[in-house]
Coordinates of all heavy atoms in Angstrom, one line a residue:
Q280 N 136.4 28.6 -19.9 CA 136.5 27.2 -20.3 C 135.4 26.4 -19.6 O 135.4 25.1 -19.6 CB 137.8 26.6 -19.9 CG 139.0 27.2 -20.7 CD 139.2 26.5 -22.0 OE1 138.3 25.9 -22.6 NE2 140.5 26.4 -22.4
C281 N 134.4 27.0 -19.0 CA 133.5 26.3 -18.1 C 132.7 25.3 -18.9 O 132.5 24.2 -18.3 CB 132.5 27.3 -17.5 SG 132.1 26.9 -15.8
R282 N 132.3 25.5 -20.1 CA 131.5 24.5 -20.8 C 132.3 23.3 -21.1 O 131.9 22.2 -20.9 CB 131.0 25.1 -22.1 CG 130.2 24.1 -23.0 CD 129.7 24.8 -24.2 NE 128.7 25.8 -23.9 CZ 128.1 26.6 -24.8 NH1 128.4 26.5 -26.1 NH2 127.2 27.5 -24.5
K283 N 133.6 23.5 -21.5 CA 134.4 22.4 -21.8 C 134.8 21.6 -20.5 O 134.8 20.4 -20.5 CB 135.7 22.9 -22.5 CG 136.6 21.7 -23.0 CD 137.7 22.3 -23.9 CE 138.6 21.2 -24.5 NZ 139.7 21.7 -25.3
L284 N 135.0 22.4 -19.4 CA 135.3 21.7 -18.2 C 134.1 20.9 -17.7 O 134.3 19.8 -17.1 CB 135.7 22.8 -17.1 CG 136.9 23.6 -17.3 CD1 137.1 24.6 -16.3 CD2 138.1 22.7 -17.3
N285 N 132.9 21.4 -17.9 CA 131.7 20.7 -17.5 C 131.6 19.4 -18.3 O 131.2 18.3 -17.7 CB 130.5 21.5 -17.7 CG 129.3 21.0 -16.9 OD1 129.4 20.6 -15.8 ND2 128.1 21.0 -17.6
E286 N 132.0 19.4 -19.6 CA 131.9 18.2 -20.4 C 132.9 17.2 -19.9 O 132.7 16.0 -19.8 CB 132.2 18.5 -21.8 CG 131.0 19.3 -22.5 CD 131.3 19.7 -23.9 OE1 132.4 19.3 -24.4 OE2 130.5 20.3 -24.6
I287 N 134.1 17.7 -19.4 CA 135.1 16.8 -18.9 C 134.6 16.2 -17.6 O 134.7 15.0 -17.4 CB 136.4 17.6 -18.6 CG1 137.0 18.1 -19.9 CG2 137.4 16.7 -17.8 CD1 138.2 19.0 -19.7
E288 N 133.9 17.0 -16.7 CA 133.4 16.5 -15.5 C 132.4 15.4 -15.7 O 132.3 14.4 -14.9 CB 132.7 17.7 -14.7 CG 133.6 18.8 -14.3 CD 134.7 18.4 -13.3 OE1 134.3 17.7 -12.3 OE2 135.8 18.7 -13.5
N289 N 131.6 15.5 -16.8 CA 130.5 14.5 -17.1 C 131.0 13.4 -18.0 O 130.2 12.6 -18.4 CB 129.3 15.2 -17.7 CG 128.7 16.2 -16.8 OD1 128.6 16.0 -15.5 ND2 128.2 17.4 -17.3
G290 N 132.3 13.3 -18.2 CA 132.8 12.2 -19.0 C 132.6 12.4 -20.5 O 132.8 11.4 -21.2
G291 N 132.2 13.6 -21.0 CA 131.9 13.7 -22.4 C 133.1 13.9 -23.2 O 133.1 13.8 -24.5
L292 N 134.3 14.2 -22.6 CA 135.5 14.4 -23.3 C 136.6 13.5 -22.6 O 136.5 13.1 -21.5 CB 136.0 15.9 -23.3 CG 135.1 16.9 -24.0 CD1 135.6 18.3 -23.7 CD2 135.1 16.6 -25.5
S293 N 137.6 13.2 -23.4 CA 138.8 12.5 -22.8 C 139.4 13.3 -21.7 O 139.9 14.4 -21.9 CB 139.8 12.2 -23.9 OG 141.0 11.7 -23.4
D294 N 139.4 12.7 -20.5 CA 139.8 13.5 -19.3 C 141.2 14.0 -19.4 O 141.4 15.2 -19.3 CB 139.7 12.6 -18.1 CG 138.3 12.4 -17.6 OD1 137.4 13.0 -18.2 OD2 138.1 11.6 -16.7
R295 N 142.2 13.2 -19.7 CA 143.6 13.6 -19.7 C 143.9 14.6 -20.8 O 144.4 15.7 -20.5 CB 144.5 12.4 -19.9 CG 144.5 11.4 -18.7 CD 145.4 10.2 -18.9 NE 145.3 9.3 -17.8 CZ 146.2 9.4 -16.7 NH1 147.0 10.4 -16.7 NH2 146.1 8.6 -15.7
K296 N 143.6 14.3 -22.0 CA 143.9 15.2 -23.1 C 143.2 16.5 -23.0 O 143.8 17.6 -23.1 CB 143.6 14.6 -24.4 CG 144.0 15.4 -25.6 CD 143.7 14.6 -26.9 CE 144.1 15.5 -28.1 NZ 143.9 14.7 -29.4
S297 N 141.9 16.5 -22.7 CA 141.1 17.8 -22.6 C 141.5 18.6 -21.4 O 141.6 19.8 -21.4 CB 139.6 17.4 -22.6 OG 139.2 16.8 -23.7
A298 N 141.7 17.9 -20.3 CA 142.1 18.6 -19.1 C 143.5 19.3 -19.2 O 143.6 20.5 -18.8 CB 142.2 17.6 -17.9
L299 N 144.4 18.7 -19.9 CA 145.7 19.3 -20.1 C 145.6 20.5 -21.0 O 146.3 21.5 -20.8 CB 146.7 18.2 -20.7 CG 147.2 17.1 -19.8 CD1 147.9 16.1 -20.5 CD2 148.0 17.8 -18.7
S300 N 144.8 20.4 -22.1 CA 144.6 21.5 -23.0 C 143.9 22.7 -22.3 O 144.3 23.9 -22.5 CB 143.9 21.1 -24.3 OG 142.5 20.8 -23.9
C301 N 143.0 22.4 -21.5 CA 142.3 23.4 -20.7 C 143.2 24.2 -19.8 O 143.2 25.4 -19.7 CB 141.1 22.8 -19.9 SG 139.6 22.5 -20.9
T302 N 144.0 23.4 -19.0 CA 144.9 24.0 -18.0 C 146.0 24.8 -18.7 O 146.3 25.9 -18.2 CB 145.5 22.9 -17.2 OG1 146.1 21.9 -18.0 CG2 144.5 22.3 -16.2
L303 N 146.4 24.4 -19.9 CA 147.4 25.2 -20.6 C 146.8 26.5 -21.1 O 147.5 27.5 -21.0 CB 147.9 24.4 -21.8 CG 149.0 25.1 -22.7 CD1 150.2 25.5 -21.9 CD2 149.4 24.2 -23.9
T304 N 145.6 26.5 -21.6 CA 144.9 27.7 -22.0 C 144.7 28.6 -20.9 O 145.0 29.9 -21.0 CB 143.6 27.4 -22.7 OG1 143.8 26.5 -23.8 CG2 142.9 28.6 -23.1
L305 N 144.3 28.1 -19.7 CA 144.0 28.9 -18.6 C 145.4 29.5 -18.0 O 145.4 30.7 -17.6 CB 143.4 28.1 -17.5 CG 141.9 27.7 -17.8 CD1 141.5 26.7 -16.7 CD2 141.0 28.9 -17.9
L306 N 146.4 28.7 -18.0 CA 147.7 29.2 -17.6 C 148.2 30.4 -18.4 O 148.7 31.4 -17.9 CB 148.7 28.1 -17.6 CG 150.2 28.5 -17.2 CD1 150.2 29.0 -15.7 CD2 151.1 27.2 -17.3
L307 N 148.1 30.2 -19.8 CA 148.6 31.3 -20.7 C 147.8 32.5 -20.5 O 148.3 33.7 -20.5 CB 148.5 30.8 -22.1 CG 149.5 29.6 -22.5 CD1 149.3 29.2 -23.9 CD2 150.9 30.1 -22.3
A308 N 146.5 32.4 -20.3 CA 145.6 33.5 -20.1 C 146.0 34.2 -18.8 O 146.0 35.5 -18.7 CB 144.1 33.1 -20.0
S309 N 146.3 33.5 -17.7 CA 146.7 34.1 -16.5 C 148.0 34.8 -16.6 O 148.1 35.9 -16.0 CB 146.8 32.9 -15.4 OG 147.1 33.5 -14.2
L310 N 149.0 34.2 -17.3 CA 150.2 34.9 -17.5 C 150.0 36.2 -18.2 O 150.8 37.2 -18.0 CB 151.2 34.0 -18.2 CG 151.6 32.7 -17.5 CD1 152.6 31.9 -18.3 CD2 152.2 33.0 -16.1
G311 N 149.1 36.2 -19.1 CA 148.8 37.4 -19.9 C 148.2 38.5 -19.0 O 148.6 39.7 -19.1
T312 N 147.4 38.1 -18.0 CA 146.9 39.1 -17.1 C 148.0 39.7 -16.2 O 148.0 40.9 -15.8 CB 145.8 38.5 -16.2 OG1 146.3 37.5 -15.4 CG2 144.6 38.0 -17.0
A313 N 149.0 38.9 -15.8 CA 150.1 39.3 -15.0 C 150.9 40.4 -15.8 O 151.3 41.4 -15.2 CB 151.0 38.2 -14.7
C314 N 151.1 40.2 -17.1 CA 151.8 41.2 -17.9 C 150.9 42.5 -18.0 O 151.5 43.6 -17.9 CB 152.0 40.6 -19.3 SG 152.7 41.7 -20.5
L315 N 149.6 42.3 -18.2 CA 148.7 43.5 -18.2 C 148.8 44.3 -17.0 O 148.8 45.5 -17.0 CB 147.3 43.0 -18.5 CG 146.2 44.1 -18.6 CD1 146.6 45.1 -19.8 CD2 144.9 43.5 -18.8
W316 N 148.8 43.6 -15.8 CA 148.8 44.3 -14.5 C 150.1 45.1 -14.4 O 150.1 46.2 -13.9 CB 148.7 43.3 -13.4 CG 148.7 43.9 -12.0 CD1 149.8 44.0 -11.2 CD2 147.7 44.7 -11.5 NE1 149.4 44.7 -10.1 CE2 148.2 45.2 -10.2 CE3 146.4 45.0 -11.9 CZ2 147.4 46.0 -9.4 CZ3 145.6 45.8 -11.0 CH2 146.1 46.3 -9.8
E317 N 151.2 44.5 -14.8 CA 152.5 45.3 -14.7 C 152.5 46.5 -15.6 O 153.1 47.5 -15.3 CB 153.7 44.4 -15.1 CG 153.9 43.2 -14.1 CD 154.1 43.7 -12.7 OE1 154.8 44.7 -12.5 OE2 153.6 43.0 -11.7
L318 N 151.8 46.4 -16.8 CA 151.7 47.6 -17.6 C 150.8 48.6 -17.0 O 151.1 49.8 -17.1 CB 151.0 47.1 -19.0 CG 151.9 46.3 -19.9 CD1 151.1 45.9 -21.1 CD2 153.1 47.1 -20.4
V319 N 149.8 48.2 -16.3 CA 148.9 49.2 -15.6 C 149.7 49.9 -14.5 O 149.6 51.1 -14.3 CB 147.7 48.4 -14.9 CG1 146.9 49.4 -14.0 CG2 146.8 47.9 -16.0
E320 N 150.5 49.1 -13.8 CA 151.4 49.7 -12.7 C 152.4 50.7 -13.4 O 152.6 51.8 -12.8 CB 152.2 48.6 -12.0 CG 151.4 47.8 -11.0 CD 152.2 46.9 -10.1 OE1 153.4 46.8 -10.4 OE2 151.7 46.4 -9.2
F321 N 152.9 50.4 -14.5 CA 153.9 51.3 -15.2 C 153.2 52.6 -15.6 O 153.7 53.7 -15.4 CB 154.4 50.6 -16.4 CG 155.3 51.4 -17.3 CD1 156.6 51.7 -16.9 CD2 154.8 52.0 -18.4 CE1 157.5 52.5 -17.7 CE2 155.6 52.8 -19.2 CZ 156.9 53.1 -18.8
I322 N 152.0 52.4 -16.2 CA 151.2 53.6 -16.6 C 150.9 54.5 -15.4 O 150.9 55.7 -15.4 CB 150.0 53.2 -17.4 CG1 150.4 52.5 -18.7 CG2 149.1 54.4 -17.6 CD1 149.2 51.9 -19.5
G323 N 150.4 53.8 -14.3 CA 150.1 54.6 -13.1 C 151.3 55.3 -12.5 O 151.2 56.5 -12.1
D324 N 152.5 54.7 -12.5 CA 153.7 55.4 -12.0 C 154.1 56.5 -12.9 O 154.5 57.6 -12.4 CB 154.8 54.4 -12.0 CG 154.7 53.4 -10.9 OD1 153.7 53.4 -10.1 OD2 155.6 52.5 -10.7
M325 N 153.9 56.4 -14.2 CA 154.3 57.4 -15.2 C 153.4 58.6 -15.2 O 153.8 59.8 -15.1 CB 154.5 56.8 -16.6 CG 155.0 57.8 -17.6 SD 155.5 57.1 -19.2 CE 153.8 56.6 -19.7
F326 N 152.1 58.4 -15.2 CA 151.1 59.5 -15.4 C 150.7 60.0 -14.1 O 150.2 61.2 -14.0 CB 149.9 59.0 -16.2 CG 150.2 58.9 -17.7 CD1 150.5 57.6 -18.2 CD2 150.2 60.0 -18.5 CE1 150.8 57.5 -19.6 CE2 150.5 59.8 -19.9 CZ 150.8 58.6 -20.4
F327 N 150.7 59.3 -13.0 CA 150.2 59.7 -11.7 C 151.2 59.8 -10.6 O 150.9 60.0 -9.4 CB 149.0 58.9 -11.3 CG 147.9 58.8 -12.3 CD1 147.7 57.8 -13.1 CD2 147.0 59.9 -12.4 CE1 146.7 57.7 -14.1 CE2 146.0 59.9 -13.3 CZ 145.9 58.8 -14.2
G328 N 152.5 59.5 -11.0 CA 153.6 59.7 -10.0 C 153.6 58.6 -8.9 O 154.0 58.9 -7.8
Q329 N 153.0 57.5 -9.1 CA 153.0 56.4 -8.1 C 154.3 55.6 -8.0 O 155.2 55.9 -8.8 CB 151.8 55.5 -8.4 CG 150.4 56.1 -8.4 CD 150.1 56.8 -7.1 OE1 149.9 56.1 -6.1 NE2 150.0 58.1 -7.1

Side-chain angles (χ1 to χ4, degrees):
Q280 295 274 30
C281 217
R282 177 177 296 177
K283 190 172 183 180
L284 294 175
N285 196 41
E286 292 178 358
I287 294 173
E288 298 292 314
N289 295 324
L292 295 173
S293 172
D294 285 357
R295 291 179 180 273
K296 185 176 180 180
S297 298
L299 288 172
S300 66
C301 280
T302 52
L303 178 59
T304 301
L305 292 172
L306 177 61
L307 293 177
S309 180
L310 296 180
T312 61
C314 177
L315 179 62
W316 180 256
E317 294 303 321
L318 289 175
V319 170
E320 287 190 349
F321 174 79
I322 292 172
D324 288 0
M325 183 170 67
F326 286 98
F327 301 102
Q329 300 300 292

